[in-house]
Structure formats: C-alpha cells, structure tokens
Amino acid sequence: MFNFSIFILIILFFKNPNAITVSEKLKNVLLEGYDTSIRPVMNEKDVLTLNISMNSLTVLTLDPDQETVVFSSEFILQWQDQFLFWNMSEYNVTWIKLKADFVWTPDTVVSTSIENTPLIEASDRYINLRYDGTVRQSYYGVFTNLCDMNVDKFPYDKQNCKIAIGPWSYIIQEVQCVTGPEIGPDQNYFLGNSEWDFLRINTSIAQSFDKDVNFTYSEVHFQLHVKRRPQFYIWVLLIPTYIITVICLFGLFTPTFNQGMREERVNLGITTLLSSAVILQIVASSMPKTSELPLLGNFILAEIFVVAIGVLFSVIVLSLHHRAHTREWKPPNWILAILRFTGSRKFLTKHISRISHKTTYDRARFTGENAHLVQNLDDALTSVRDFIKEEDRDLFRELTWIKFFDRLDFLLLIIFQVGNALVTMFLVIN
Ligand SMILES: *[C@@H]1O[C@H](CO)[C@@H](O)[C@H](O)[C@H]1NC(C)=O
Ligand SMILES: *[C@@H]1O[C@H](CO)[C@@H](O)[C@H](O)[C@H]1NC(C)=O
Ligand SMILES: *[C@@H]1O[C@H](CO)[C@@H](O)[C@H](O)[C@H]1NC(C)=O
Ligand SMILES: *[C@@H]1O[C@H](CO)[C@@H](O)[C@H](O)[C@H]1NC(C)=O
Ligand SMILES: *[C@@H]1O[C@H](CO)[C@@H](O)[C@H](O)[C@H]1NC(C)=O
C-alpha cells in the first residue's frame, strides 16, 4: 500500500498531465497506430495527389564542357494525409510540426541529377501538418543536374536544362504529380550567377514508362532557361583578337623602304597566327567537343585566315619586289600610268626628262695639236656621263618599283582591314 502511494507520487512528480502541450497531445493522438510506410489514403484505389512546386533556385555553375548545371533549390512538396487531421475547434491549432520520420513521405528524387547534397540530413527534417491533413515538406539541396547544351551561338547562347522530379517508386495510380504555374523573370528567389542570367522556368507534368511491368510514373519537369552574359568573352577574347589582327595587318602592309623590313613582316604574321591559335585553344577548352565550332571559335578561325592570307600576300609582294630588284625589271607602262594617276606625276616627269635628255656634241670641232687629248678627255667625260645616266636609270627603276609596291601595300591594307572589320561586325551583330 505504502509502496504503491510512493509509486503514484513519483509518477505525478515526473509527469504532470497539465504540462503536456497541445502539439504533444495531438502528436500522441495522431500517431497512435500510424504506419509510416503505408500510403495515407483511406481507400486503396484512391490516387494521392502530390503538388511539387519550386520555391527558389540559384544557378551556381553551368559547365558547358561537362554539360552539367549545379544549382541550389528548394522544392515544396504538398499532399493530403487522410489519417492525420483533427478537430480545429477542439484543439485550437491550425499547424503543427512533426519530424518527417514520423509520417509517410513520398520518396521524391530529382531524377535528372547525378549528385545531390541535401542541406539538412533526412533524420533532422520536419514537416508541417495542417488540421485538415495537408502535409507540407520542404526539400532543399544543391543538385548537380545533367543538361544538354548547345553552344553554337557561344558567347550569345541561351541554355535550357530539364529538371525532372517525382516519386521514385510510386506509380501514377498511387501518386499523381501536379505543379504550380511557370516562373517568370524578376522573381526574388530565382537567380542566375555572374555569367548566367535567369530567364524563366516552364513547368509541365510528364510521365515515364517502364515497359517490362507496364508501370507508368508521374513526374514534374522544370525547364530552366538561362542566358549567358557575353561581356566577359567580348572583352577577353573578341576585342584582343580583333586588335591583334588590326596591328598585324598594319605591320604586314606598312610601306617599307627596303627588303629587310619586308622579311620582318612575315615573322610578325607568324607570331600573330601563334597568338590567335592560343586564343582559339582557350575557347576550345571551355566548350564541349561537339562537331560544330561555336560562333566565337569561328570568328577566331576567320581572323586566323585573314592573317594567314595577309601573310601570303605579303610574301608574294616581297618576292615580286625582290625579283623586280634583282632582275632589273623595267617598269611597264601601265605601272607608270598607275603611278601618274596616284600622285607621282612630278616624280615621273622629273626623272623621265632627265633619263631621256640627249646630249649632242660635235666631235669635228676638235682640231689642232692637242686634238687627241681633247678627244680622250671627251671620251672619258662621255663614259662618265653615260655612267651617271645609267645610275639615274637604276635609281628611277628602283624608286618606281618602291612607289608601286607602296601603293599595292596600301591597297591591300585597306582591303584586309575592311575584311577584318566585316568579320568582327558579323559576330557582334549576331
Ligand atoms: C469539434 O469539436 C467541437 C467542440 O468540442 C464539437 O462541438 C464538434 O462537434 C466537433 N466537430 C467534429 C466534426 O467532430
Ligand atoms: C485559440 O487560440 C487563440 C490564440 O491562439 C486564442 O485567442 C483563443 O482564445 C483560443 N480559443 C480557445 C477556445 O481556446
Ligand atoms: C501547387 O502548389 C503551388 C504553390 O503552393 C500552387 O501555386 C499551385 O496552384 C498548386 N497546384 C495545384 C494543382 O494545386
Ligand atoms: C515556356 O513558356 C513561354 C511562355 O509561356 C513560352 O513562350 C515558351 O515557348 C515555353 N518554352 C518551352 C520550352 O515550352
Ligand atoms: C503491357 O501492356 C501491353 C498492352 O497494353 C500488353 O500487351 C502487355 O502484355 C502488358 N505487359 C505486362 C507485363 O502486363
């Protein structure tokens, strides 16, 4: 008798019935006999509707080389548990929190992801339960998702990645997915990163089929649309390539005074080709190895061609000039005509009159005893005069060729710079 009273006292001491909160009382009532592995429907034939919506998303990285997108996101799952409800006016609470372990939860997975780091351990997660049986679960994590990428328009590309989420083991007759409306831009919790702008997320319901057992699974597809910010690539790759090409073309086709300088130019061209190849390598390394080169790669390739053809022309001009010099080509009339029409009229008149100027003298004039001396002197003078005239002719020939090739260089310079500008314009406008 005495022992029993003490036992009661001890029980009362440790467990005061008034200290039980409403939630605790509710939890005890609700979870009595509850089986967490049974789908919470009264009738086995009932379909449980699972509403999956996306509450936030941040694009962390988008790797075109690996064709993956890493994002952090919160999904809200909502469904009706037909076993968990209470009389609102009796308990006077609308929502209670329960450990996710205590109730049935759908085994939802992001099936397009290859890696998933949840922020909260499964054992630490809670669900919210409303008096009418509505269960709300938040599913937050960092997901590495596969994403088919199309980089043809790089650096002006847009990507869209499919994020599929749904119950893993329940077929459509057991759990049917629904979702919310599509998510437009300018949403607070939907963000891109420094390289990618968030555009929108289209939502849709889809089904996947297992042929072997005729099972159909329901899932929700979120189509993530992002757009690349091209500024970085424009400043780091496009503009430097353009400037290098411009400088190289100036180097290749600047009027030069002698042969050695022309040879220097070919070296310059080769160096430029090398540096363009390095830039092309940078572009190639950050792209998936698809059959098509992206737009920026095509641009750099086009610039390489411009420089290569420039070098080729430079070499041709160099060899022609060299031949004209060593083989003492006489400038043909059409070259003289070109020069005359391009501002060298004065130069031509002066030199041509000097070359064609004929000195006539009368040998018969020399008579007397010193006649042969005078004759010798006169012969010597004549040969000196002839020599000087020959020199004049050489100088004229050389200067004419230099002037002609200068004009050719200038013409090629303009043609190539225009070509370079057009190639760049084409890319920038695209
Ligand atoms: C809910 O509780 C109130 C007060 O206890 C009671 O009057 C009412 O009948 C109950 N409603 C249901 C549906 O049980
Ligand atoms: C229900 O709760 C509200 C505040 O949560 C309180 O003001 C109200 O008096 C409560 N009603 C009953 C019947 O306990
Ligand atoms: C699913 O939940 C979202 C957010 O709570 C809501 O906007 C949407 O209307 C719900 N969808 C359905 C079909 O009930
Ligand atoms: C996404 O939604 C927008 C607006 O309704 C629509 O214009 C676009 O075609 C949709 N995209 C896809 C891939 O369904
Ligand atoms: C699946 O369905 C098809 C056509 O409805 C049927 O021919 C086939 O036997 C079914 N297979 C199984 C395993 O039930």
Side-chain angles (χ1 to χ4, degrees):
M1 198 55 195
F2 174 74
N3 281 347
F4 184 69
S5 314
I6 289 183
F7 179 69
I8 294 290
L9 271 175
I10 288 170
I11 295 230
L12 286 178
F13 182 76
F14 281 104
K15 190 148 179 87
N16 179 357
N18 298 331
I20 292 182
T21 62
V22 180
S23 313
E24 199 174 348
K25 207 156 66 185
L26 259 178
K27 182 191 137 195
N28 291 340
V29 171
L30 292 174
L31 298 181
E32 202 186 321
Y34 187 92
D35 189 338
T36 59
S37 62
I38 303 298
R39 200 162 54 93
V41 285
M42 293 293 190
N43 187 339
E44 190 63 34
K45 291 268 183 294
D46 281 356
V47 179
L48 188 139
T49 305
L50 173 63
N51 182 345
I52 304 176
S53 58
M54 204 184 252
N55 208 23
S56 71
L57 179 136
T58 307
V59 176
L60 301 177
T61 55
L62 209 134
D63 186 347
D65 189 23
Q66 303 282 323
E67 301 205 73
T68 55
V69 55
V70 181
F71 61 91
S72 65
S73 181
E74 184 190 16
F75 296 97
I76 299 287
L77 316 180
Q78 198 168 307
W79 67 93
Q80 197 79 24
D81 193 317
Q82 295 183 3
F83 299 140
L84 303 176
F85 59 91
W86 62 87
N87 187 335
M88 182 50 183
S89 42
E90 198 178 329
Y91 289 96
N92 198 19
V93 283
T94 319
W95 290 95
I96 62 165
K97 266 187 183 46
L98 289 176
K99 265 273 168 69
D101 288 351
F102 293 162
V103 300
W104 175 89
T105 50
D107 51 349
T108 319
V109 289
V110 177
S111 57
T112 45
S113 72
I114 48 174
E115 211 188 321
N116 168 14
T117 316
L119 197 71
I120 305 166
E121 287 300 313
S123 57
D124 294 335
R125 272 182 238 159
Y126 283 85
I127 54 104
N128 285 306
L129 179 62
R130 214 170 110 105
Y131 67 93
D132 60 355
T134 303
V135 186
R136 229 175 117 83
Q137 186 187 17
S138 159
Y139 183 44
Y140 186 91
V142 175
F143 302 88
T144 308
N145 205 83
L146 292 172
C147 183
D148 254 345
M149 298 205 191
N150 183 349
V151 289
D152 290 356
K153 289 212 156 50
F154 171 79
Y156 300 102
D157 51 336
K158 289 178 187 171
Q159 302 296 344
N160 72 75
C161 301
K162 186 177 82 179
I163 302 163
I165 177 171
W168 187 251
S169 46
Y170 288 98
I171 60 172
I172 197 164
Q173 284 82 11
E174 293 166 334
V175 175
Q176 159 96 61
C177 292
V178 296
T179 184
E182 65 172 59
I183 298 149
D186 313 322
Q187 302 269 339
N188 279 341
Y189 299 109
F190 291 85
L191 303 168
N193 61 14
S194 55
E195 190 180 351
W196 296 91
D197 275 329
F198 174 83
L199 290 182
R200 62 171 186 278
I201 290 178
N202 282 21
T203 57
S204 58
I205 307 294
Q207 292 178 357
S208 58
F209 190 67
D210 185 344
K211 275 206 297 286
D212 287 349
V213 282
N214 281 359
F215 282 175
T216 307
Y217 299 90
S218 172
E219 57 186 18
V220 175
H221 284 181
F222 295 99
Q223 204 79 34
L224 167 68
H225 294 263
V226 288
K227 182 175 180 297
R228 195 193 295 267
R229 295 181 186 164
Q231 285 83 353
F232 173 78
Y233 295 95
I234 289 178
W235 289 109
V236 169
L237 297 176
L238 195 147
I239 291 179
T241 309
Y242 175 70
I243 290 174
I244 288 173
T245 311
V246 166
I247 301 284
C248 172
L249 290 177
F250 272 118
L252 282 178
F253 298 117
T254 312
T256 50
F257 194 69
N258 60 36
Q259 299 281 316
M261 280 163 110
R262 276 193 189 278
E263 275 151 30
E264 289 283 304
R265 301 158 157 198
V266 178
N267 290 339
L268 174 74
I270 305 286
T271 316
T272 310
L273 285 183
L274 262 174
S275 63
S276 303
V278 171
I279 293 177
L280 190 62
Q281 175 62 32
I282 296 175
V283 175
S285 65
S286 61
M287 294 292 109
K289 311 293 178 277
T290 53
S291 53
E292 257 187 77
L293 201 62
L295 197 64
L296 186 64
N298 278 325
F299 163 72
I300 293 170
L301 210 58
E303 293 285 67
I304 287 180
F305 273 116
V306 167
V307 173
I309 295 172
V311 169
L312 196 70
F313 271 87
S314 196
V315 169
I316 292 173
V317 170
L318 169 72
S319 347
L320 283 180
H321 197 169
H322 202 67
R323 280 177 174 234
H325 182 69
T326 52
R327 303 193 179 179
E328 305 195 348
W329 286 349
K330 191 174 175 298
N333 281 335
W334 58 271
I335 283 182
L336 296 183
I338 287 175
L339 289 185
R340 196 166 289 126
F341 282 110
T342 51
S344 292
R345 188 183 295 274
K346 230 176 182 174
F347 162 81
L348 287 177
T349 9
K350 192 174 120 203
H351 279 265
I352 287 173
S353 68
R354 186 131 56 118
I355 291 166
S356 54
H357 178 69
K358 287 249 186 305
T359 38
T360 46
Y361 38 84
D362 188 7
R363 287 186 181 201
R365 248 180 7 181
F366 305 119
T367 47
E369 56 211 77
N370 288 335
H372 73 281
L373 270 179
V374 175
Q375 188 67 43
N376 279 353
L377 193 63
D378 184 54
D379 283 350
L381 275 178
T382 307
S383 64
V384 166
R385 209 181 281 127
D386 283 350
F387 179 74
I388 288 174
K389 196 176 270 180
E390 193 61 33
E391 284 285 280
D392 264 354
R393 206 170 276 135
D394 277 352
L395 186 67
F396 170 70
R397 189 169 40 74
E398 222 160 276
L399 283 178
T400 308
W401 282 119
I402 285 177
K403 273 176 176 291
F404 171 71
F405 282 114
D406 276 1
R407 277 161 181 67
L408 189 60
D409 273 343
F410 189 65
L411 183 71
L412 288 174
L413 176 66
I414 287 174
I415 290 174
F416 274 89
Q417 292 293 13
V418 168
N420 182 23
L422 283 181
V423 166
T424 311
M425 286 269 280
F426 175 76
L427 185 93
V428 172
I429 286 169
N430 224 293

